[in-house]
Amino acid sequence: MSGDSCLPQHHTLSHSTSSAPLLACPKTKTCSYRGAVGLGNKYVRINVGGTLFYTTLQVLTRLDSMLKAMFSGKKEVFIDKDGWILIDRNGKHFGSILCFLRDGTVSLPKGRQAVQELLAEAKYYLAQGLVELCENSLQPVVKLVYNRSNNKYSYTSNSDDNLLKNIELFDRLSLSFNGRVLFIKDVIGDEICCWSFYGQSRKLAEVCCTSIVYATEKKQTKVEFPEARIYEETLNTLLYETMPLPDNSLLEATRRSYTSCGSHSEEEEGPGGAELRERVRRIHIKRYSTYEERPMGH
């Protein structure tokens, strides 16, 4: 068994009248070590709502939390007659709490309800880093990646203005939907200007605002400002604030068909107009299947 094992042992304590009463441990540092009866000082035995865990004092006191206060002698703990330290909480997610204390991160459980349960436990144990991790995973996310220093090609005359407009729109949206949507701005990467939209750990859509055009037989980078499209996709992420997931009919009702937008008919556009319009749509917006599993990613 490793020193940092957090694998639970499922066991229900007997509540018969013959059981010895709980012993209140005094607020001293040695109180933390008395829970490791029979295992020496290296291990601590913890009973969380009837589920048993072995771990070490090093793990329990590594990060600031209520557990650190308990096992450094700053908070009173209770021990049963067999030497198990008792915590009156559901032990379902305590293994995740220990793993977070050990590594500073943890894989979140699948499903919104499970994450909310873990969030409640993280708040109880005052594990602030885990609280933030859970809260961020429950929020819809809008991410803007921009990199003006990517000067692989020259830019069209109004590209700088449009890039600034995209950044200003990001700031306005982050103020308008503060607390409901997590906004992330990133300047690292190859993308000159690209928006991504996430809901419940899935990538929902991507709006790329750059394309390559030719002027005087030279490549130029064109930056666009599709304000209405970006605003619409931001609103669509709000559908993922609550469970269950929106059904396909609701998603279709809240999204326009961009291939049919505009006042020009195919005849007015000339040969290949529809094909060109569809190609432009694919360049500038990508949507992902509602139920396709995709990692959050940043």
Side-chain angles (χ1 to χ4, degrees), residues 4 10 49 78 100 109 148 159 238:
D4 290 347
H10 295 284
F78 299 93
F100 180 81
R148 180 61 182 86
S159 290
L238 297 178

Side-chain angles (χ1 to χ4, degrees), residues 12-147:
T12 303
L13 295 178
S14 172
H15 295 284
S16 63
T17 55
S18 61
S19 299
L22 299 181
L23 301 177
C25 190
K27 297 181 180 180
T28 62
K29 186 173 182 180
T30 56
C31 171
S32 298
Y33 293 88
R34 286 174 55 191
V37 175
L39 292 176
N41 292 341
K42 185 176 181 180
Y43 294 100
V44 177
R45 302 189 296 183
I46 307 175
N47 181 336
V48 186
T51 305
L52 308 183
F53 296 85
Y54 290 96
T55 188
T56 66
L57 288 170
Q58 182 182 10
V59 169
L60 294 167
T61 58
R62 180 167 293 172
L63 301 177
D64 288 334
S65 68
M66 188 184 77
L67 292 170
K68 181 176 181 179
M70 288 177 61
F71 292 94
S72 60
K74 296 179 181 179
K75 187 176 177 64
E76 192 175 54
V77 298
F78 299 93
I79 306 173
D80 69 5
K81 65 177 182 178
D82 297 318
W84 290 89
I85 295 176
L86 305 179
I87 299 178
D88 189 17
R89 297 290 292 184
N90 190 321
K92 179 179 179 181
H93 298 289
F94 192 75
S96 295
I97 300 291
L98 292 181
C99 289
F100 180 81
L101 294 179
R102 179 186 304 109
D103 301 325
T105 186
V106 68
S107 298
L108 297 180
K110 293 183 178 180
R112 185 178 180 87
Q113 181 177 348
V115 175
Q116 288 176 327
E117 292 173 355
L118 179 57
L119 174 60
E121 296 304 301
K123 288 182 177 180
Y124 175 80
Y125 292 108
L126 303 179
Q128 185 58 35
L130 183 55
V131 169
E132 294 175 358
L133 185 64
C134 292
E135 289 180 340
N136 291 343
S137 73
L138 293 172
Q139 278 188 308
V141 176
V142 173
K143 179 181 178 182
L144 171 63
V145 177
Y146 70 95
N147 187 356

Side-chain angles (χ1 to χ4, degrees), residues 110-112 136-137 139-142 196-206 237 240 242-246 251 255 287-297:
K110 293 183 178 180
R112 185 178 180 87
N136 291 343
S137 73
Q139 278 188 308
V141 176
V142 173
S196 300
F197 305 86
Y198 302 85
Q200 295 180 1
S201 301
R202 296 176 176 86
K203 192 171 187 178
L204 307 173
E206 182 180 276
T237 64
Y240 292 80
T242 58
M243 287 291 283
L245 292 172
L251 292 176
R255 285 189 169 129
R287 290 201 182 93
Y288 299 90
S289 172
T290 303
Y291 298 100
E292 183 180 0
E293 293 296 335
R294 288 177 178 267
M296 191 67 167

Side-chain angles (χ1 to χ4, degrees), residues 172-183:
R172 293 201 307 270
L173 291 174
S174 64
L175 291 174
S176 299
F177 298 103
N178 182 37
R180 299 183 64 187
V181 178
L182 176 63
F183 287 86

Side-chain angles (χ1 to χ4, degrees), residues 2 8 21 31 38 45 51 62 86-87 98 134 146 150 154 186 195 233 246-247 253 258 260-261 268 271 275 281 285:
S2 66
C31 171
R45 302 189 296 183
T51 305
R62 180 167 293 172
L86 305 179
I87 299 178
L98 292 181
C134 292
Y146 70 95
N150 185 346
S154 60
D186 195 351
W195 296 74
E233 292 298 343
D247 58 30
Y258 293 114
S260 62
C261 292
E268 291 173 329
E275 180 182 353
R281 187 192 73 84
I285 185 165

